[in-house]
């Protein structure tokens, strides 16, 4: 939870427990009551501050109501104190029996127990909801640079759009660039995604995840400053392309991008239109994910995926062309002469990882690449002697395990049978065989899932628990490895990964 949310919750609960714990017989009750009213007023002000600074959100509703509860309890106790005085006077006049007093005492104990249980239940709900549905945050970047970001809407006039039926439509891509800035740079903080409500709907419709999980997306902030000035600490910075997974998005690895940029890299994130979760253009147009009528196992077929990947490869090459234009003459002046085009790398998740491998083999501009848990789809196969350039494959242990960790029900839900799935994985493994050839690396991460290589599991602890993963632990390992890899192959720094070849508690690392 966020800072003011925690303060608001803790104060509310302390005051609530204190107010309920007041006894009516307490001679100082009235003074305490007035103090309680003053504190409730302060909590109301704290609620207003929270709303202005951090923004109100639905998981905090029970906590917001707690602001009123002390007032209600104080009012109720005051009324009861007055009624108790009248009842006591009448009892003396009428000579009420001791048995009546005993019964009243019993009911008093029951009321105290019931009230206490309700308070505990209310506290669990008011604290539990914000914890289960947090406004997640990204780990503070460890490098010496701040982070700036700018977005572009680029159209490839030489390519027809193949994924729509609109005749004459050209291939249009949203691209976001993150770059090093002065760590004291000031300005508007970039949101995680540009249109949170559109993304929330897309998560629900495309990934079939409850929309409720994404209700706080609008309040998620990054460490990037919009359109900040590029740092002049270095004359040029290496450029690294990022390609997301099928129905992913250009921001989906913000946890990784921010750390890279803080270490002195310019990172270029590509949104592959119609294959991404959603694309939102500056003029308000929205391009939804296009499955081309293929679902489940049918969508995974090599014949289909290899062909689709050709579009992604052309996307990446087109974006590199545009990056070269920025380096030569950026209209804003930001990147002109500051991009080190002799040291270009690329990394990608899933289908974007497959695209990275194709670029390594197909485009001489890309010097080194990382594939994070991507099946090796694409036109070209890795030759027996290897990619021929520095390459790191990262895999989730659950992905490498294939059908051995899949139940019959899961396989059936994909629309296939176990024998068909096993035959499919035979080709997957066959394509993997030359990965480490030529001295390259393959890292397999323990207790991870396919989406561990993205931001997704930060959304809610519920996703982590149900998947049995450690989101931030995995992200730390991925970041350390990513920076070590690119620092060596794009900046010429010593490679620490070589010393880690072998079996470890959280991963295994092979070298060809």
């Amino acid at each position: 939870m966020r800072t003011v949310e925690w303060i608001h919750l803790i104060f509310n609960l302390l005051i609530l427990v204190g107010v309920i714990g007041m006894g009516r017989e307490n001679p100082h009750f009235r003074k305490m009551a007035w103090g309680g009213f003053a504190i409730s007023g302060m909590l109301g002000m704290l609620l207003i501050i929270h709303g202005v600074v951090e923004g109100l959100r639905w998981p905090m509703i029970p906590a917001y109501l707690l602001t009123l509860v002390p007032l209600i309890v104080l009012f109720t106790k005051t009324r009861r104190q007055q009624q108790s005085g009248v009842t006591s006077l009448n009892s003396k006049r009428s000579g009420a029996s001791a048995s009546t007093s005993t019964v009243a005492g019993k009911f008093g104990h029951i009321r105290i127990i019931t009230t206490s249980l309700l308070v505990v239940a209310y506290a669990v709900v008011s604290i539990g909801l914000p914890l289960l549905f947090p406004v997640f945050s990204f780990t503070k970047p460890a490098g010496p640079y701040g982070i700036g970001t700018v977005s572009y809407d680029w159209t490839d006039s030489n390519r027809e759009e193949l994924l729509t039926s609109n005749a004459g439509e050209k291939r249009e891509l949203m691209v976001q660039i993150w770059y090093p800035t002065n760590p004291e740079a000031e300005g508007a903080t970039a949101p995680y995604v540009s249109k949170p409500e559109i993304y929330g709907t897309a998560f629900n419709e495309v990934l079939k995840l409850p929309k409720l999980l994404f209700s706080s997306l609008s309040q998620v902030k990054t460490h990037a400053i919009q359109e900040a000035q590029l740092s002049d600490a270095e004359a040029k910075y290496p450029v690294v392309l990022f390609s997301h997974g099928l129905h992913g998005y250009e921001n989906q690895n913000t946890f990784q991008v921010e750390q890279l940029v803080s270490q002195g890299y310019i990172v270029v994130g590509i949104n592959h239109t119609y294959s991404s979760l959603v694309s939102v253009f500056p003029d308000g147009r929205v391009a939804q994910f296009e499955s081309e009528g293929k679902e489940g196992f049918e969508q995974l077929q090599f014949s289909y995926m290899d062909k689709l990947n050709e579009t992604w490869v052309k996307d990446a090459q087109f974006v590199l062309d545009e990056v070269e234009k920025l380096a030569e003459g950026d209209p804003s002046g930001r990147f002109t002469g500051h991009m080190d085009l002799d040291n270009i790398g690329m990394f990608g998740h899933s289908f974007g990882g497959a695209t990275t491998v194709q670029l390594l083999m197909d485009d001489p501009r890309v010097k080194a690449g990382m594939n994070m848990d991507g099946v090796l789809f694409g036109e070209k196969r890795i030759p027996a002697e290897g990619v021929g350039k520095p390459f790191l494959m990262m895999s989730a242990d659950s992905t490498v395990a294939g059908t051995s960790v899949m139940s019959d029900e899961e396989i059936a839900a994909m629309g296939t049978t176990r024998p068909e799935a096993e035959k499919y994985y035979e080709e997957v493994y066959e394509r993997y065989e030359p990965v480490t050839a030529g001295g390259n690396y393959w890292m397999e991460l323990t207790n991870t899932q396919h989406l561990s290589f993205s931001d997704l599991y930060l959304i809610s602890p519920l996703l982590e628990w149900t998947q049995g993963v450690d989101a931030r632990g995995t992200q730390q390992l991925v970041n350390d490895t990513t920076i070590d890899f690119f620092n060596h192959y794009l900046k010429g720094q010593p490679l620490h990964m070589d010393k880690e070849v072998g079996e470890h508690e959280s991963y295994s690392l092979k070298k060809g």
Side-chain angles (χ1 to χ4, degrees):
M1 284 190 294
R2 298 170 294 177
T3 303
V4 183
E5 285 183 353
W6 270 118
I7 296 173
H8 185 266
L9 270 173
I10 292 170
F11 268 72
N12 266 303
L13 291 172
L14 287 175
I15 297 303
L16 178 59
V17 171
V19 169
I20 290 177
M22 292 181 193
R24 295 194 310 271
E25 68 283 355
N26 193 319
H28 302 293
F29 173 77
R30 188 169 296 277
K31 291 181 180 179
M32 294 172 71
W34 281 112
F37 279 113
I39 292 173
S40 291
M42 182 187 72
L43 290 173
M45 288 299 298
L46 190 60
L47 175 60
I48 294 172
I49 293 171
H50 158 59
V52 172
V53 174
E54 296 178 334
L56 304 178
R57 61 193 190 96
W58 76 264
M60 287 289 292
I61 289 176
Y64 301 153
L65 295 177
L66 276 172
T67 304
L68 301 175
V69 171
L71 295 176
I72 296 171
V73 172
L74 285 168
F75 177 76
T76 303
K77 283 186 176 291
T78 302
R79 290 290 301 273
R80 285 178 178 171
Q81 188 184 42
Q82 294 171 349
Q83 293 173 357
S84 176
V86 174
T87 302
S88 177
L89 180 62
N90 290 337
S91 295
K92 289 179 180 179
R93 290 175 177 174
S94 61
S97 65
S99 61
T100 303
S101 177
T102 301
V103 171
K106 289 181 178 179
F107 276 109
H109 287 305
I110 293 173
R111 185 171 61 248
I112 290 171
I113 292 172
T114 303
T115 302
S116 298
L117 290 174
L118 287 173
V119 169
V120 171
Y122 201 8
V124 168
V125 171
S126 62
I127 294 175
L129 280 177
L131 289 176
L132 292 176
F133 301 94
V135 177
F136 72 90
S137 60
F138 296 102
T139 302
K140 184 179 179 181
Y145 292 99
I147 302 167
T149 189
V150 62
S151 293
Y152 296 92
D153 178 3
W154 287 337
T155 299
D156 186 350
S157 59
N158 295 319
R159 279 195 298 156
E160 296 288 328
E161 177 56 71
L162 303 177
L163 296 174
T164 68
S165 57
N166 300 330
E169 185 175 338
K170 299 298 182 180
R171 183 69 171 162
E172 184 178 5
L173 303 171
M174 286 302 301
V175 174
Q176 185 165 353
I177 299 181
W178 296 264
Y179 52 90
T181 67
N182 186 305
E184 285 79 39
E186 296 181 352
T189 303
Y192 180 50
V193 291
S194 58
K195 296 290 182 180
E197 66 283 356
I198 294 175
Y199 273 82
T201 300
F203 274 115
N204 173 244
E205 294 178 350
V206 179
L207 298 184
K208 311 303 179 186
L209 291 169
K211 194 172 182 179
L212 201 63
L213 286 173
F214 306 95
S215 58
S216 297
L217 271 183
S218 61
Q219 292 158 321
V220 176
K221 298 297 182 183
T222 67
H223 294 100
I225 303 299
Q226 292 179 330
E227 301 187 8
Q229 184 175 349
L230 179 75
S231 172
D232 59 1
E234 297 181 46
K236 293 184 177 182
Y237 299 94
V239 176
V240 184
L241 265 64
F242 171 69
S243 180
H244 59 71
L246 193 64
H247 42 62
Y249 49 106
E250 70 271 36
N251 316 77
Q252 69 160 60
N253 280 54
T254 295
F255 84 89
Q256 190 177 17
V257 167
E258 290 194 338
Q259 297 295 339
L260 261 177
V261 175
S262 77
Q263 298 290 343
Y265 291 89
I266 294 174
V267 179
V268 182
I270 308 167
N271 184 299
H272 297 277
T273 313
Y274 296 113
S275 295
S276 63
L277 181 72
V278 68
S279 301
V280 182
F281 296 101
D283 60 6
R285 288 176 297 120
V286 176
Q288 307 287 355
F289 176 74
E290 175 54 60
S291 68
E292 300 185 83
K294 299 182 184 298
E295 302 291 340
F297 194 63
E298 182 185 11
Q299 190 181 61
L300 297 175
Q301 294 306 300
F302 289 101
S303 57
Y304 173 71
M305 297 293 263
D306 288 349
K307 183 65 176 176
L308 177 61
N309 191 253
E310 293 178 17
T311 296
W312 285 44
V313 169
K314 291 175 182 177
D315 285 348
Q317 291 174 327
F318 164 69
V319 168
L320 270 180
D321 293 341
E322 295 301 305
V323 165
E324 289 178 334
K325 293 176 184 177
L326 281 180
E328 183 179 348
D330 181 357
S332 71
R334 180 180 292 110
F335 296 118
T336 303
H338 297 302
M339 290 176 158
D340 184 358
L341 300 184
D342 292 326
N343 288 289
I344 296 176
M346 184 172 178
F347 67 111
H349 173 237
S350 192
F351 207 57
T355 305
T356 298
V357 176
Q358 295 295 311
L359 261 290
L360 281 174
M361 294 187 291
D362 199 49
D363 197 313
R365 293 175 292 184
V366 180
K367 306 301 183 185
M370 287 175 47
N371 175 355
M372 297 181 292
D373 215 38
V375 173
L376 297 177
F377 296 115
E379 178 188 7
K380 295 184 177 181
R381 305 280 75 77
I382 298 178
E385 62 273 18
V387 172
K389 295 178 184 177
F391 174 55
L392 169 64
M393 180 82 182
M394 303 183 83
S395 298
D397 56 350
S398 59
T399 301
V400 175
T403 57
S404 66
V405 294
M406 299 171 67
S407 68
D408 291 339
E409 291 75 16
E410 289 173 324
I411 292 175
M414 292 172 60
T416 188
T417 63
R418 185 170 290 277
E420 287 179 332
E422 289 174 347
K423 183 178 180 181
Y424 177 85
Y425 269 92
E426 286 178 8
E427 182 164 353
V428 170
Y429 297 140
E430 184 180 331
R431 293 189 179 198
Y432 280 158
E433 281 184 9
V435 159
T436 61
N440 281 323
Y441 301 86
W442 191 351
M443 175 180 280
E444 183 181 325
L445 279 64
T446 308
N447 296 325
T448 49
Q449 299 288 334
H450 184 59
L451 293 172
S452 293
F453 299 92
S454 73
D455 300 332
L456 186 67
Y457 292 142
L458 297 178
I459 295 288
S460 169
L462 290 171
L463 294 176
E464 281 190 272
W465 298 339
T466 56
Q467 296 297 309
V469 299
D470 173 14
R472 293 194 185 274
T474 298
Q475 290 178 356
Q476 182 65 55
L477 177 56
V478 169
N479 282 335
D480 290 345
T481 306
T482 301
I483 291 167
D484 182 37
F485 179 80
F486 284 125
N487 273 355
H488 179 67
Y489 291 110
L490 299 184
K491 289 189 173 185
Q493 297 180 12
L495 182 66
H496 302 289
M497 194 164 53
D498 254 346
K499 302 174 184 177
E500 304 298 326
V501 173
E503 299 293 327
H504 303 268
E505 182 180 354
S506 57
Y507 68 93
S508 65
L509 180 62
K510 301 174 184 176
K511 181 181 179 181

